[in-house]
Amino acid sequence: MPNDNLTFLDAFRTIEHPYFQLQNHKTLFIQAFAQNAKSVMRSGDTDQIGILSTSLYEALFEGSGVSLRATLDRIQSRIEAPHTLETLLSDFFYVVLNHYIKAGYGHQLGWKRIARLSDAVDRFIDWSRTLDYSNASASPLLSPEELALETLEQIRLGGNKIDLLNTYMGVPISYKAHVLHTTEKCAYIKAHPIQEAAAKQQQAVYILSSGLLENDIYARVKPVRYRGNVLLELHSLQPLQVGIYRRQNIRVEPEGLITVSIHHEERIYKLQLFDLSLGGVALLNPKHLPLNLFASVQIELPDRLLGKAMDINARLVHVSVFENNEKYHFQLHLKGSEETLLGRYIKRREQEIIHTLKMWS
């Protein structure tokens, strides 16, 4: 059984004195741990090293609610033999002690402060050896949803926020939110009114990976009232092994049905506009079109859409086949004036969509 006496944390969290302020060293200490971690952790975990370094600093020195046990477990699971967690922690504290000792140069502070910190380091590393890092034994007992809920509880305890994402009518809606409550089955969050409206419409939301969350999470949404406030109940959480795609361009859906003409080799095809961006356009048709992949075409956008008709050169890059429709994805080759006109429409349509969400919020 591990020793649960964590009094060494008191020493870490009270090491400040007039000549040593933690905030002035926070970035340096986080970077020091990250630099050492890069040489002992799996190469594929580069993106997580910065997150883990920050979590360890906060758990040791700030008492922010970040779980020290969970953070060490995540670090240990990424260390490659023959390297060890003990060596990684020792190298990190050599840096901490070095800067702490230097801060005492020229000041009559005595050695007790340094001895207290050194003793705390010894006790912390000794404690870290007593922990059971066998993730494999616990993983089969916990579902991905349970692990996600446990992480959201850690975030709640730390007073941190989560990043949410909905894509409504092509427009990405992304705001931060507070985790207010968790249970064994769901979590309750307070979201931005526009995010709340989008999530209600889609009955779902994505929680983006950041901080303690290693993966994007898809969650079903149910609005509930709690003490006079509307909260979003997140349930059926599904961590995603592959992160969701973040579009580089705003892609908006038109208002109402818009027919678009495709000109190719002296033939004209009429398709329904699904969405468009500065980078591309997607069109629907119930029948298969005799267009080869990467075929060059000219797309005629009607004046109803932009205020005047516009012909744009494009290339077919993908065809999605569904039961009743086929979706044709075209890459647009815009001239300067075309990009300006289309950009204005997309911006206006984006504002209309967000205004609709505001009305529902």
Side-chain angles (χ1 to χ4, degrees), residues 258-272:
I258 300 290
T259 300
V260 172
S261 299
I262 301 294
H263 299 259
H264 177 66
E265 295 181 348
E266 299 183 355
R267 298 192 64 179
I268 300 177
Y269 306 99
K270 301 287 187 179
L271 288 78
Q272 179 183 331

Side-chain angles (χ1 to χ4, degrees), residues 17 44 48 69 88 181 196 207-208 325 337 339 341-342 348:
H17 57 69
Q48 288 295 319
R69 287 172 178 264
L88 178 58
H181 309 285
E196 179 186 314
I207 308 171
L208 302 181
N325 272 314
S337 59
E339 183 173 339
L341 190 59
L342 187 57
R348 184 175 70 252

